[in-house]
Amino acid sequence: MNLPETDTSLFKRLRFVLVETSHPGNIGAAARAIKTMGFKELVLVRPRFADALQQPEAIAFASGAQDVLDHARIVNTMEEALAGCDFVAAISARLREFSPPLFGPRAISEKLSQSKHLNAAFVFGSERYGLPNEVVMNCHALINIPANPDYSSLNLAQAIQLLAYECRMAEVENVPVASNIGFQGQLAQVEQIDGMYQHLEQALVAIDFLDPHNPRKLMQRLKRMFSRTQLEVEEVNILRGIAKKILDVQKK
């Protein structure tokens, strides 16, 4: 089924981010997986081999999705990979104590399809180690695929295919958008929220609420708390204003 790609289409708002991928074939298979479901944007963060997109195995496994490989980007940092995003979801089979809110593939797909204002990214870890905790904690959601608990290991491309399929079905089914009550401002992007966390941490250290030598996971808990909301730009500015005022008072 061919779907019209409007400016708010999820096919234009969702990118797939692969972190430190170990096998060229998985990159090609990932490109094929997202293209078959109508998606285009693939970003690689520090792949573990040179010329990742030109590797013969990557090209072979892409099997007709060469255009996705040709337009894929290779970056060195998560900040570059997520620039312009205001919603980021990590995919992991391992649950964390301080993880962001947990979603299944269908629930997250419906959420993204309905939220026409969200520019989103799905982040997948390396085949060997998955995603590091610091990446997961800075995401807005954690996606856990409810596989067989006795054997829950999914190949990277299989996981990507499953998420891409659910997102396509959410768009095909045209799930009605829940009406919003009241004013909704512009959502803050990832880099704006990261800057707020840094500013807030400085303020908490300044008033001795946070001991930098013994932080006791305070910032992780705060990030988890804020990740349950969708912070708007004005809200981030308010929090940074509070942090600035605290720092100004401490200097006097």
Side-chain angles (χ1 to χ4, degrees):
M1 179 184 295
N2 292 323
L3 299 177
E5 291 193 16
T6 64
D7 289 340
T8 61
S9 167
L10 185 55
F11 299 110
K12 288 189 174 183
R13 295 186 287 110
L14 178 62
R15 74 185 64 165
F16 293 77
V17 178
L18 278 55
V19 181
E20 297 184 355
T21 311
S22 299
H23 302 292
N26 282 334
I27 293 175
R32 181 179 182 179
I34 67 175
K35 182 174 181 177
T36 58
M37 293 297 118
F39 298 93
K40 302 174 182 177
E41 191 169 1
L42 181 65
V43 183
L44 309 180
V45 182
R46 299 185 303 276
R48 292 182 176 272
F49 44 87
D51 300 322
L53 299 172
Q54 287 77 43
Q55 291 285 325
E57 191 176 355
I59 295 171
F61 274 73
S63 186
Q66 184 62 44
D67 55 330
V68 175
L69 289 183
D70 290 341
H71 291 94
R73 294 185 291 123
I74 297 178
V75 299
N76 290 319
T77 66
M78 290 300 300
E79 289 77 15
E80 293 174 275
L82 301 177
C85 290
D86 37 38
F87 188 88
V88 183
I91 291 79
S92 177
R94 181 165 59 91
L95 302 181
R96 271 79 164 180
E97 180 183 1
F98 295 105
S99 79
L102 184 65
F103 287 83
R106 189 155 300 170
I108 197 72
S109 300
E110 291 180 356
K111 173 182 174 65
L112 294 180
S113 180
Q114 293 176 21
S115 303
K116 303 298 184 183
H117 53 287
L118 286 180
N119 292 308
F122 286 160
V123 182
F124 299 81
S126 72
E127 301 91 331
R128 290 184 178 182
Y129 309 112
L131 286 170
N133 286 333
E134 58 269 22
V135 171
V136 174
M137 288 188 297
N138 284 324
C139 291
H140 301 96
L142 178 65
I143 302 173
N144 184 258
I145 298 172
N148 177 3
D150 296 325
Y151 187 67
S152 61
S153 176
L154 278 174
N155 173 271
L156 175 61
Q158 291 173 332
I160 292 170
Q161 184 78 77
L162 191 152
L163 266 297
Y165 168 79
E166 290 291 352
C167 286
R168 180 175 183 83
M169 292 308 297
E171 287 286 279
V172 168
E173 293 168 0
N174 193 23
V175 180
V177 179
S179 61
N180 293 317
I181 299 175
F183 172 77
Q184 183 172 17
Q186 180 183 356
L187 288 179
Q189 295 186 351
V190 173
E191 53 266 35
Q192 294 171 314
I193 296 174
D194 285 344
M196 180 270 290
Y197 284 138
Q198 294 171 20
H199 208 167
L200 185 58
E201 184 173 3
Q202 293 171 10
L204 295 175
V205 170
I207 61 173
D208 294 326
F209 190 84
L210 171 62
D211 180 357
H213 303 296
N214 187 24
R216 295 182 179 273
K217 298 183 179 180
L218 175 63
M219 291 308 300
Q220 289 95 321
R221 290 182 183 277
L222 287 175
K223 288 180 179 180
R224 184 185 185 191
M225 178 180 73
F226 282 120
S227 70
R228 291 198 292 268
T229 70
Q230 291 183 11
L231 287 170
E232 298 174 1
V233 172
E234 187 61 28
E235 293 166 342
V236 167
N237 290 338
I238 290 171
L239 290 167
R240 295 199 70 160
I242 293 171
K244 181 179 185 301
K245 186 66 175 179
I246 291 171
L247 290 170
D248 289 344
V249 170
Q250 291 300 114
K251 290 177 182 178
K252 294 181 180 178

